[in-house]
Amino acid sequence: MSLEGLLADFRFGEHNAVLCSSITALQHLLFEYCRVSLNSNEILLILTTYDSIANLLKALKVIDSKLNSRQKDGSLVIRDCAKAYFNLADELVDILIMMRMLLQRKRKLGKDGLTVICDMGIFFHKNRIVDLVSHEARLSLGSSDFSEVRMICCYVKPSLSLLTHQQSQQILRAHTKTLGF
């Protein structure tokens, strides 16, 4: 099955995980999902760790002539994970607030939904595994508040070896679907 086919299997209201074989595979996933998403009527929030925002935008400009207008109207939002997940005091910040704001924008713009792609590598880089496990468990998209959100948490498989078996199981159970790439 193609990457496009795998991603099409993810629905709004789901909190899913993709286990990437490498950082390169993760970067490919982000780029390909952006490419697919550009033809849809959704807001896309990308939280990136391994790729700079500038590099991602440069790559996307090649395939999307409307990139600047998408950023300007807020239908494409790209943020650095370190700034999205942690405040200046290095405390974990709940991204649900950002998601609620983007859902309001979704309604204002008449979009079909909000897709959030999170590169979870920042938790490993900061050695914040306990925060990662609690964050994933807390992220309950089953509530009616988030029925219009498609959440995709991306992990690089080698990073998962830093987890205990119990932590790994808790993270995997927090997701509706888990796919390897």
Side-chain angles (χ1 to χ4, degrees), residues 19-23 50 124 155-163:
L19 309 180
C20 299
S21 59
S22 65
I23 292 172
Y50 295 110
F124 296 95
Y155 290 89
V156 177
K157 286 181 187 177
S159 297
L160 297 176
S161 67
L162 301 172
L163 303 173

Side-chain angles (χ1 to χ4, degrees), residues 18-23 26 49-50 119-129 132 154-165 167-168 171:
V18 176
L19 309 180
C20 299
S21 59
S22 65
I23 292 172
L26 173 61
T49 299
Y50 295 110
D119 170 353
M120 306 308 283
I122 192 65
F123 289 93
F124 296 95
H125 285 290
K126 289 181 160 282
N127 196 25
R128 303 289 288 269
I129 305 302
L132 170 62
C154 301
Y155 290 89
V156 177
K157 286 181 187 177
S159 297
L160 297 176
S161 67
L162 301 172
L163 303 173
T164 66
H165 179 73
Q167 290 168 330
S168 179
I171 288 171

Side-chain angles (χ1 to χ4, degrees), residues 19-153:
L19 309 180
C20 299
S21 59
S22 65
I23 292 172
T24 303
L26 173 61
Q27 291 168 324
H28 179 69
L29 171 86
L30 287 173
F31 180 78
E32 285 301 307
Y33 192 85
C34 288
R35 186 184 61 75
V36 170
S37 174
L38 295 175
N39 296 320
S40 67
N41 187 38
E42 65 184 13
I43 290 181
L44 179 60
L45 169 62
I46 300 172
L47 302 174
T48 180
T49 299
Y50 295 110
D51 213 351
S52 73
I53 294 170
N55 284 345
L56 195 52
L57 287 172
K58 184 178 176 182
L60 291 174
K61 282 183 182 179
V62 173
I63 61 168
D64 185 15
S65 61
K66 298 178 186 175
L67 188 70
N68 289 337
S69 67
R70 291 179 203 281
Q71 285 185 279
K72 192 173 182 176
D73 76 6
S75 59
L76 174 64
V77 180
I78 303 173
R79 296 288 179 262
D80 181 280
C81 275
K83 293 177 182 175
Y85 279 110
F86 298 97
N87 65 17
L88 294 175
D90 204 32
E91 299 166 327
L92 183 65
V93 177
D94 193 346
I95 66 162
L96 297 179
I97 295 166
M98 185 185 315
M99 290 167 52
R100 284 187 181 100
M101 289 181 351
L102 289 172
L103 283 172
Q104 288 176 353
R105 183 175 298 152
K106 176 208 89 68
R107 291 177 192 105
K108 180 180 173 186
L109 296 174
K111 300 289 185 176
D112 295 333
L114 165 65
T115 294
V116 181
I117 302 178
C118 302
D119 170 353
M120 306 308 283
I122 192 65
F123 289 93
F124 296 95
H125 285 290
K126 289 181 160 282
N127 196 25
R128 303 289 288 269
I129 305 302
V130 172
D131 285 335
L132 170 62
V133 173
S134 66
H135 168 72
E136 288 284 26
R138 188 174 60 244
L139 207 56
S140 173
L141 295 182
S143 74
S144 61
D145 287 350
F146 296 106
S147 63
E148 300 168 306
V149 177
R150 176 183 8 237
M151 185 87 176
I152 304 171
C153 299

